[in-house]
Amino acid sequence: MKPRFLCLALLLLSNPALWAQREVSGQVTDGENKSPLQGVNVTVKNSRVGTATDADGKFRLVVPADAKTLVFTNSGFDAREVDVSNIQGDLNISLAKNVLALNEVVVAVAYGEQERKKITGAVGKVTGKQLENIPMASVDQMLQGKVAGVQSVATSGQAGAAQQIRIRGIGSISASSAPLFVIDGLPANTGDASNLTNSSNLLATLNANDIESISVLKDAAASSIYGSRGANGVIIITTKKGKAGKTRIRVDGEFGYSDIAYKPEMGKPLNREEVKELYTEGLLNAGFPQADVDFVLDNFFGYNTTANYNWLDLVTRKGQQQQVNVSASGGDAKTQFYLSGGYFKQESPVIGSELKRYTGTLNLKHQLSNKFVTGINLTLSSFHQRGEVESANFRNPVIAAIALLPTAEAYNPDGSPNYDPNIFGQIYNPLAIIEYDRQNNQTSKLLGSAFLEYKVLDNLKLSTRFGIDYNNIEEYLYYNPYFGDARTQSGSSANSYNRLYNWVWTNLADYNFRFLDDKIDGTLTVGYEAQQSMTYTQAGSGDVLPKNRNIQYPIPAVPTAASVTGSDYAFTSLLSRGQLNYMGRYSLSGSLRRDGSSRFGANNRYGTFWSVGAAWNIDEEKFMADQNIFSSLKLRTSYGVNGNAGIGNYVWRSSFLFSTTYNGLPGSFQTSVGNDNLTWEQNKPFDVGVEFGVLNNRLIVEADYYLRKTDNLLLNEPLSPTSGFLGYSNNVGAMENKGVEVTINAVPVKTKDFNWTVSLNAAWNKNEVTKLREGVEEIIGDPFTLKVGEDVQSYFIRQWAGADPANGDPLWYKDGSKTETTNNFAEAGRVIFGSASPKGFGGFNTVFTYKFITLDAQINYQYGNKIFNQWDFLTISDGAFLGLNHNKKALQRWQNPGDITDVPKFVYANATSSNNNSTRYLYKGDFIRLRNVLLAFDLPVKFAQKAHLAGARLYVRGTNLWTKTFDDNITLDPEQPIGGISDLQFFNPRSYTIGLNLQL
């Protein structure tokens, strides 16, 4: 034997601790109902040695001979440490349930997971359990009110419509303010991808029942590692994975219906008698004699018929709501899987809008050897969506609901929808539109990735992941030849095929280290990432269609347009992140990323983004050992730089159009001026936060103060008109957001049979524009203005003063002092009057559990913002629009001298400009909404076991059940798009469902 091998053998023999091992086994159960817990992580403290419990809660682990402590962790339960240095026989371990999010041991963060105690950034978390079986089409809708500082509002009540999300305020003026979504490590395409139809929300392709958790990265320490795309925050979605143990099958079914969530009394249309009263008065006020009044009402308003319709009732319905989900998960020590399939159907409470979705997910992980692990995450989905246009389009059923007269005959004698233009004028009968026209969208998505991990050493891992996000959006539009938008063209049809292909390749090296007798530990991650996204679109349209509605896809006799377009962008990145922890007390973190993007000018294509963060777990200090107030106490802070690349793909380039001819030959002309110096909008967020728990963490509070300073904002730089262009994009502006966020989780009551938990989150944000173009302090628009020192969404509008008590004339204030009024619209001065941005918003959730009964309720709220109903100028027009219905607010009009009201005299063909833009149509956006209520009955464990079930639950649920507003004159639902302007979008739904969950 060679000397070096002899020395090694002697060393091993003389120190059995280096080679001796022993086995520890046992069972882990739920501390409340004593049922076995599957998937509990069992690890030797301060090591990578571990396993997971099987379906019976049992585990068997080979540990080093000198192992002293095992750590048991599982989502939803308190972690527990057990001394095994002198253990004899099997362990029987019970874990106590813990519903407070701050006690989660591990949280998904950028490019991995991290212990919550070591996190230096501001990270909000939503568990998959909070998202299960909610009757909403997409996960972005479900985030509302669940995380402090995350504003999520509906843009439309159409089935599957996209949601608007802002994290810690609006981060840009002209670029995107939406966060980056990362699904299982893949930065994904999100938003509305439609061309012809109303909406194609790419997030609606994801089944929320497949989600394990959502992490919201809000500050620099958490999000700057995403570099040029982290300025508006990052939302990380992690799907469910399999666990070793017996295969578990889960079946969920839910069925119900939906109607309108909220339509205030003031916004409802007038009935037949109210319309007659109003227009009779208006005609008399306009000088018509009584005989002419009767003639106009009979011949132009239909009062010579018996027609009497409530068009709001005609265009709304009880929409069907249903979903079915089936999943299976399990595996062994080497291979784990999760497999699921889902069906979801939703009908809008407004006719003409529905969505059907089919999803399938496969997540597979396999340990090839002690060194190699591989796996795939795959989601296939497809949805069919039918919708209608919104806004001022004459085919919009919402405008018909509020503006068509009750005397407009809805049906022909044979029962078919009436579309006589002599009756309906410019607004089409929505019943006929739904019957004769089509606007369909078929969106299919493949979201998948494959990964390989190589364990070079116990503390060094190399990994590579390649992912694709592939979307096909096929849209079809058919306008009939009989009436409506295409009547003069004898019908019209259009088709669009849109393909979005996005691939991402991520390569990482993760190194973990410990030294100084394990007092110091840390991690270091370095990597390279590349991404390319490509869009390809084919579109065609034509007129003159056969008058045969049985032909589903008629070929137009006169083709009118055909086009093929494409665009792409790419990123290439070097990234790194490090963290150092000392004795569980202090944590330091830092990240550095170098990004290159094709979206920016040749002179500024690469940018460097970074962050630093620190955390102090004060409760781990020796001087805290004897105190009995705080069960946990942590301070953290961070600062860094990240960017916003949410602009067009070719904004920096000079662009040309080749769709014209010159002298009979193909020609082109320049359409925009490029800017080789265009670069990222730059965000510099600062955050300081405190987290503490008292009463053994029965009460946990998390509070943050943040300051986001953004510069290099993209604005239009004007050019001399002699150049042939109005301007070009340049980095010239700046703004800031600052605010406070608070999250409170509490367990007021916890007994053997009864638990009561409460959670509250609140956020207050103040936005301020700090710089515009050089020498420019204000850029005036309508109804907004951009002004240095003011909120980015400040209304700049004339102030309404109501009706003159003497004669009913409209009045406006001449200036902001409100000391003098005028009845001449041109003399009224515009002033800044509030903002579309709320001062505060948040959510409140409470859960009562008594034995097998659970009551769960969530309330959302916001306040301090204004919303502008720009279409009130039609329905409170004081007679300006002839032949249209008005809403209940119009009944408060001035009628006699001395009347005090804010609604002027109603005059037929009113020409006083009383319905022009003013604060008359601005309303308080404050509201409280009962977002979700769940009443559930869980089958007791002993009965479930007799039925050979792991669990069973029957529940009833309601969403958007109740809304409280704080403006008596409001005419619309206060939940409006973030921009604050109502655009006749479909009404938000309120749903009632009943569901059953079975676990085998």
Side-chain angles (χ1 to χ4, degrees):
M1 181 178 292
K2 293 183 179 181
R4 61 176 179 270
F5 293 114
L6 179 60
C7 291
L8 178 60
L10 290 174
L11 177 63
L12 292 173
L13 291 171
S14 64
N15 190 355
L18 294 178
W19 54 270
Q21 293 179 321
R22 57 195 177 95
E23 186 179 86
V24 179
S25 59
Q27 184 182 39
V28 184
T29 58
D30 185 326
E32 289 188 8
N33 54 36
K34 307 306 179 185
S35 60
L37 289 177
Q38 178 185 2
V40 176
N41 293 313
V42 185
T43 58
V44 178
K45 188 174 183 179
N46 297 329
S47 83
R48 297 173 63 88
V49 177
T51 187
T53 58
D54 62 17
D56 298 318
K58 295 181 179 180
F59 71 94
R60 191 173 296 275
L61 181 63
V62 176
V63 303
D66 60 348
K68 296 180 180 180
T69 306
L70 290 185
V71 181
F72 296 81
T73 59
N74 194 34
S75 178
F77 292 83
D78 288 332
R80 183 175 174 184
E81 295 186 2
V82 177
D83 186 353
V84 294
S85 55
N86 295 306
I87 194 72
Q88 299 292 329
D90 286 348
L91 290 170
N92 290 305
I93 306 299
S94 62
L95 298 184
K97 284 188 176 180
N98 175 19
V99 296
L100 300 184
L102 286 181
N103 275 2
E104 293 285 350
V105 177
V106 177
V107 178
V109 295
Y111 300 100
E113 295 180 332
Q114 196 169 26
E115 292 182 44
R116 179 171 282 279
K117 287 179 71 69
K118 297 178 181 179
I119 289 177
T120 60
V123 180
K125 183 174 179 180
V126 179
T127 65
K129 189 174 182 179
Q130 294 174 273
L131 309 175
E132 289 176 354
N133 300 316
I134 294 179
M136 297 175 185
S138 62
V139 64
D140 48 357
Q141 297 172 328
M142 302 176 193
L143 287 177
Q144 190 179 70
K146 287 186 166 62
V147 178
V150 178
Q151 184 185 10
S152 175
V153 300
T155 59
S156 169
Q158 294 226 39
Q163 195 90 343
Q164 287 182 322
I165 295 180
R166 300 293 181 265
I167 299 175
R168 293 187 167 180
I170 295 173
S172 181
I173 292 175
S174 60
S176 173
S177 290
L180 172 69
F181 278 83
V182 178
I183 304 174
D184 284 336
L186 178 63
N189 286 315
T190 59
D192 182 3
S194 62
N195 290 325
L196 290 178
T197 53
N198 187 68
S199 175
S200 181
N201 179 10
L202 296 180
L203 275 178
T205 58
L206 190 65
N207 185 351
N209 272 42
D210 290 332
I211 294 176
E212 179 69 28
S213 68
I214 296 178
S215 293
V216 181
L217 314 184
K218 297 186 282 187
D219 70 339
S223 66
S224 284
I225 195 170
Y226 285 103
S228 60
R229 290 169 289 178
N232 296 311
V234 181
I235 296 178
I236 296 177
I237 298 177
T238 304
T239 59
K240 293 178 179 177
K241 308 299 190 294
K243 296 179 180 179
K246 179 182 176 182
T247 297
R248 291 296 190 186
I249 297 175
R250 173 171 174 157
V251 180
D252 294 274
E254 183 178 77
F255 308 89
Y257 70 90
S258 63
D259 56 19
I260 297 177
Y262 183 71
K263 183 65 176 173
E265 189 65 25
M266 287 296 177
K268 293 180 179 178
L270 302 180
N271 62 32
R272 178 184 169 102
E273 294 307 313
E274 290 168 334
V275 171
K276 185 175 183 179
E277 175 190 341
L278 195 66
Y279 271 100
T280 297
E281 184 179 310
L283 288 162
L284 293 173
N285 288 337
F288 283 70
Q290 185 64 52
D292 290 347
V293 169
D294 294 336
F295 177 83
V296 171
L297 290 175
D298 287 345
N299 291 275
F300 295 99
F301 286 80
Y303 280 89
N304 58 345
T305 71
T306 59
N308 185 11
Y309 293 97
N310 183 324
W311 282 95
L312 179 60
D313 288 345
L314 286 177
V315 305
T316 57
R317 63 183 174 183
K318 291 189 182 299
Q320 290 187 35
Q321 183 81 47
Q322 55 186 268
Q323 61 176 317
V324 177
N325 297 288
V326 180
S327 66
S329 64
D332 55 26
K334 284 194 172 184
T335 305
Q336 300 88 45
F337 71 93
Y338 173 83
L339 177 66
S340 76
Y343 168 75
F344 179 90
K345 178 181 179 180
Q346 183 181 59
E347 291 180 342
S348 166
V350 179
I351 59 175
S353 174
E354 65 178 34
L355 175 118
K356 293 180 181 179
R357 180 185 68 203
Y358 303 87
T359 60
T361 294
L362 172 62
N363 291 331
L364 184 65
K365 183 178 180 181
H366 178 67
Q367 187 167 343
L368 296 170
S369 68
N370 292 335
K371 295 288 187 180
F372 287 96
V373 175
T374 187
I376 60 170
N377 305 125
L378 181 65
T379 295
L380 293 170
S381 59
S382 179
F383 69 69
H384 175 84
Q385 187 178 34
R386 181 181 180 184
E388 260 305 332
V389 295
E390 299 178 325
S391 190
N393 199 292
F394 296 136
R395 61 189 298 111
N396 180 358
V398 175
I399 195 173
I402 62 176
L404 282 178
L405 292 171
T407 53
E409 180 57 65
Y411 300 100
N412 294 313
D414 64 358
S416 61
N418 181 14
Y419 54 78
D420 186 349
N422 295 319
I423 293 178
F424 290 94
Q426 289 182 310
I427 298 177
Y428 312 136
N429 182 352
L431 304 179
I433 290 291
I434 301 305
E435 175 73 20
Y436 289 93
D437 290 356
R438 293 290 181 272
Q439 293 193 77
N440 296 334
N441 176 330
Q442 181 75 41
T443 296
S444 301
K445 186 183 188 75
L446 166 63
L447 183 70
S449 62
F451 65 88
L452 178 66
E453 298 175 356
Y454 172 47
K455 187 177 179 182
V456 182
L457 302 170
D458 285 345
N459 60 346
L460 175 61
K461 181 180 70 174
L462 304 180
S463 64
T464 183
R465 177 185 293 269
F466 185 83
I468 59 173
D469 179 11
Y470 186 88
N471 304 270
N472 274 344
I473 301 99
E474 300 177 38
E475 298 170 278
Y476 170 64
L477 181 147
Y478 169 85
Y479 288 168
N480 75 84
Y482 310 105
F483 73 97
D485 292 313
R487 181 179 62 85
T488 58
Q489 297 105 283
S490 297
S492 178
S493 69
N495 289 271
S496 172
Y497 171 78
N498 191 20
R499 184 180 68 210
L500 282 74
Y501 175 54
N502 175 41
W503 64 260
V504 181
W505 187 27
T506 305
N507 301 275
L508 301 174
D510 293 291
Y511 178 66
N512 302 299
F513 57 86
R514 294 178 177 275
F515 53 89
L516 292 182
D517 296 326
D518 290 341
K519 291 181 179 179
I520 295 179
D521 68 271
T523 61
L524 178 64
T525 299
V526 295
Y528 169 76
E529 186 170 77
Q531 176 179 358
Q532 185 175 16
S533 183
M534 294 158 281
T535 301
Y536 172 80
T537 304
Q538 290 181 341
S541 61
D543 299 335
V544 186
L545 305 181
K547 294 187 176 181
N548 184 342
R549 294 194 302 116
N550 293 324
I551 303 175
Q552 188 174 6
Y553 294 99
I555 300 174
V558 181
T560 57
S563 65
V564 175
T565 59
S567 67
D568 62 357
Y569 67 86
F571 287 90
T572 181
S573 309
L574 294 172
L575 60 96
S576 63
R577 175 181 59 198
Q579 178 149 348
L580 200 64
N581 311 291
Y582 177 71
M583 294 185 67
R585 301 176 192 170
Y586 315 111
S587 295
L588 294 175
S589 70
S591 69
L592 182 67
R593 183 172 181 132
R594 179 75 171 169
D595 266 349
S597 172
S598 64
R599 284 180 165 173
F600 296 96
N603 298 332
N604 288 298
R605 184 151 295 168
Y606 292 88
T608 301
F609 309 93
W610 56 271
S611 73
V612 292
W616 179 21
N617 291 296
I618 305 174
D619 57 293
E620 298 288 343
E621 295 288 356
K622 293 181 179 179
F623 61 78
M624 296 288 289
D626 296 330
Q627 61 86 35
N628 54 10
I629 299 176
F630 294 103
S631 43
S632 64
L633 179 59
K634 177 180 177 181
L635 291 177
R636 51 177 170 74
T637 187
S638 68
Y639 180 75
V641 175
N642 47 40
N644 186 358
I647 65 173
N649 291 340
Y650 308 118
V651 175
W652 73 275
R653 292 180 178 271
S654 298
S655 59
F656 292 79
L657 190 66
F658 289 85
S659 61
T660 186
T661 60
Y662 178 77
N663 197 25
L665 297 174
S668 68
F669 60 92
Q670 190 173 358
T671 57
S672 67
V673 178
N675 180 1
D676 287 343
N677 294 316
L678 197 69
T679 189
W680 285 276
E681 294 187 346
Q682 189 168 251
N683 183 58
K684 301 174 182 177
F686 167 77
D687 180 274
V688 59
V690 59
E691 304 171 14
F692 65 86
V694 297
L695 302 175
N696 196 26
N697 282 347
R698 291 277 293 274
L699 173 66
I700 297 179
V701 178
E702 182 176 0
D704 283 81
Y705 168 79
Y706 62 86
L707 174 62
R708 292 179 60 193
K709 291 192 174 183
T710 308
D711 56 22
N712 287 335
L713 288 179
L714 298 179
L715 293 174
N716 192 57
E717 195 86 75
L719 290 171
S720 169
T722 59
S723 68
F725 300 94
L726 297 177
Y728 67 98
S729 292
N730 200 14
N731 300 100
V732 293
M735 70 162 61
E736 69 176 32
N737 288 276
K738 58 184 176 182
V740 174
E741 298 168 356
V742 176
T743 300
I744 300 174
N745 293 302
V747 184
V749 179
K750 185 175 183 180
T751 66
K752 179 182 178 181
D753 293 328
F754 179 69
N755 284 329
W756 174 27
T757 65
V758 174
S759 63
L760 169 70
N761 68 79
W764 298 269
N765 183 78
K766 179 176 175 55
N767 175 280
E768 181 181 343
V769 177
T770 56
K771 181 184 177 183
L772 294 172
R773 297 192 304 266
E774 191 67 32
V776 175
E777 293 291 309
E778 185 172 15
I779 301 175
I780 296 176
D782 188 15
F784 295 105
T785 185
L786 284 173
K787 186 176 182 180
V788 174
E790 299 291 342
D791 185 280
V792 70
Q793 296 193 124
S794 295
Y795 290 103
F796 190 61
I797 200 165
R798 291 172 173 85
Q799 284 184 280
W800 181 246
D804 189 329
N807 56 21
D809 282 352
L811 295 176
W812 298 267
Y813 290 108
K814 285 191 172 183
D815 55 42
S817 67
K818 301 174 69 172
T819 57
E820 189 176 356
T821 61
T822 177
N823 63 359
N824 184 347
F825 180 77
E827 294 180 356
R830 297 173 68 185
V831 298
I832 291 178
F833 196 87
S835 166
S837 304
K839 294 179 180 178
F841 60 90
F844 171 81
N845 185 257
T846 185
V847 181
F848 299 93
T849 302
Y850 177 69
K851 292 187 176 180
F852 56 88
I853 301 174
T854 300
L855 177 62
D856 187 340
Q858 179 188 336
I859 292 174
N860 295 346
Y861 66 90
Q862 73 175 36
Y863 71 92
N865 63 306
K866 302 285 186 182
I867 52 178
F868 185 62
N869 193 347
Q870 63 178 336
W871 298 106
D872 270 355
F873 86 98
L874 288 178
T875 55
I876 323 177
S877 71
D878 312 318
F881 285 89
L882 308 181
L884 296 184
N885 201 351
H886 285 59
N887 60 32
K888 300 288 186 182
K889 177 67 177 175
L891 298 179
Q892 297 181 353
R893 80 277 183 198
W894 181 96
Q895 293 178 283
N896 300 297
D899 285 351
I900 306 297
T901 179
D902 61 345
V903 182
K905 176 172 58 178
F906 192 91
V907 181
Y908 188 76
N910 166 43
T912 64
S913 299
S914 64
N915 64 328
N916 283 7
N917 282 358
S918 73
T919 59
R920 178 184 185 183
Y921 303 136
L922 273 179
Y923 303 97
K924 292 180 181 179
D926 306 7
F927 72 87
I928 301 173
R929 172 161 277 170
L930 185 55
R931 180 67 164 176
N932 185 59
V933 175
L934 172 76
L935 179 61
F937 303 86
D938 291 288
L939 188 65
V941 174
K942 62 180 180 179
F943 295 114
Q945 291 175 344
K946 288 181 180 180
H948 302 288
L949 296 173
R953 166 174 280 201
L954 176 68
Y955 64 90
V956 291
R957 186 195 300 272
T959 61
N960 294 336
L961 294 182
W962 171 80
T963 302
K964 168 64 178 175
T965 60
F966 296 85
D967 190 328
D968 294 337
N969 293 311
I970 195 168
T971 59
L972 72 169
D973 189 317
E975 186 179 337
Q976 294 296 319
I978 284 174
I981 296 183
S982 170
D983 201 19
L984 292 173
Q985 60 263 39
F986 278 32
F987 305 121
N988 291 321
R990 171 174 51 202
S991 66
Y992 305 87
T993 55
I994 182 170
L996 177 66
N997 161 246
L998 298 176
Q999 298 181 55
L1000 308 178

